[in-house]
Amino acid sequence: MTSDLTAAPGDWHTPAELTPFQGGETFRGTDAGTVLEFWRYAMPDLRTNTTRGLLAEFLVHRAVGAVRRNAEWESFDVLAPDGLRIEVKTSAYLQSWGQRRLSEIRFSRLRGRTWTPEDGDAAEQSYNADVYVFALHTARTHADYDPLDISQWDFHVASRALVEATGQASLGLASVRRLCGEPGGYEQLPERIRASAPPCHSGQGTEVSTPVV
C-alpha cells in the first residue's frame, strides 16, 4: 500500500505552470495584506548578500533577454533564449552590517553537484554553466553605495573552459582579473557573454543592443 506522502511508482507530484504574481493580489482568509507588501517585507534591502546576488542575476537575465527565472534548484542561474547556461557570482566590498575593513573580494561555489527530482544529487561536483559572470559591486563607502545605480557594478566574464581549467572552487579578484581581463559595465554584458559562449551559441540569442533595467 502506498503512503499518502509518497507518489505511486510512475506518478509525480508535478507543480502547475507558474503564473507570476503582479503584486496587488491579497492573501485570502486573513488581513495580512498583499503580495507586494510581502515582497517589501522579504527584500527591503538590496545590499544584503542574498538579495544582492538575486539582483545581479536579474541584471544578467535582462541583459541576455532571458524569458523566465530559473528554478532555484537548477545548477546554473540564467538560461538565455538560445539555451546558453550562465552562472552569476557576486561579491562586494561593503556588507549590510558594520565592518572594521572592506570585505575581501572572493567568488565561491564555482562548481557543485547537479540535482534532479528523478536522480537526486550527482556523485561528483562539476562546472555546470557555459559562461560565468563575476559581478562585483564596487562601492567602498556607504555614503556612495546606491543599490539603484547600475554603474556601480563591474562585470567580468569567462567561458566555462577558462574557469574549469583553474580547477578551483573559488577565485579571488586578482585571479578573476587574470582570467577575464578588465571588467566591463552593464552595457557591455551581452557582447562579453556572447564572446565567451561556446561556438554553438556564439552570436545567437543574446542580441540585446542596449540592456534594459
Side-chain angles (χ1 to χ4, degrees), residues 56 60 64 77 86-90 107 110 129 131-136 154-159 163 176 180 189 192-193:
V60 174
V64 301
D77 295 318
I86 305 167
E87 181 74 5
V88 184
K89 294 301 179 185
T90 312
F107 302 93
L110 301 180
V131 172
Y132 286 74
V133 175
F134 301 94
L136 170 63
D154 276 352
F155 297 95
H156 295 80
V157 183
S159 66
V163 175
V176 167
C180 306
L189 254 183
R192 287 177 176 242
I193 290 172

Side-chain angles (χ1 to χ4, degrees), residues 11-202:
D11 292 339
W12 286 89
H13 298 296
T14 304
E17 186 72 18
L18 173 67
T19 300
F21 289 112
Q22 301 302 308
E25 299 86 352
T26 57
F27 293 100
R28 292 186 291 274
T30 177
D31 61 355
T34 65
V35 171
L36 177 59
E37 289 171 318
F38 165 69
W39 289 341
R40 288 171 174 163
Y41 165 82
M43 48 180 63
D45 188 350
L46 298 182
R47 302 169 301 167
T48 64
N49 282 331
T50 299
T51 306
R52 184 164 51 208
L54 290 173
L55 173 58
E57 290 178 22
F58 169 75
L59 295 176
V60 174
H61 175 103
R62 295 296 293 266
V64 301
V67 176
R68 65 183 63 188
R69 183 187 171 192
N70 269 16
E72 63 181 16
W73 49 263
E74 289 281 5
S75 58
F76 57 95
D77 295 318
V78 176
L79 182 67
D82 67 340
L84 185 71
R85 300 169 302 170
I86 305 167
E87 181 74 5
V88 184
K89 294 301 179 185
T90 312
S91 193
Y93 294 103
L94 294 173
Q95 310 302 326
S96 56
W97 56 83
Q99 302 166 248
R100 290 187 179 274
R101 59 185 65 85
L102 297 177
S103 296
E104 176 188 0
I105 301 303
R106 192 150 202 92
F107 302 93
S108 59
R109 301 181 68 182
L110 301 180
R111 61 190 179 205
R113 289 181 172 85
T114 60
W115 180 88
T116 66
E118 298 83 3
D119 302 320
D121 289 317
E124 302 291 338
Q125 291 189 341
S126 55
Y127 298 91
N128 300 308
D130 301 307
V131 172
Y132 286 74
V133 175
F134 301 94
L136 170 63
H137 200 281
T138 60
R140 292 171 178 261
T141 70
H142 286 290
D144 291 334
Y145 197 128
D146 181 355
L148 300 182
D149 184 357
I150 304 306
S151 70
Q152 294 187 351
W153 288 91
D154 276 352
F155 297 95
H156 295 80
V157 183
S159 66
R160 171 179 172 168
L162 286 176
V163 175
E164 191 168 17
T166 69
Q168 300 299 309
S170 67
L171 294 171
L173 182 57
S175 297
V176 167
R177 285 177 173 166
R178 284 195 297 269
L179 204 66
C180 306
E182 290 299 312
Y186 183 60
E187 294 76 13
Q188 289 84 48
L189 254 183
E191 179 182 353
R192 287 177 176 242
I193 290 172
R194 189 182 307 122
S196 296
C200 61
H201 292 285
S202 294

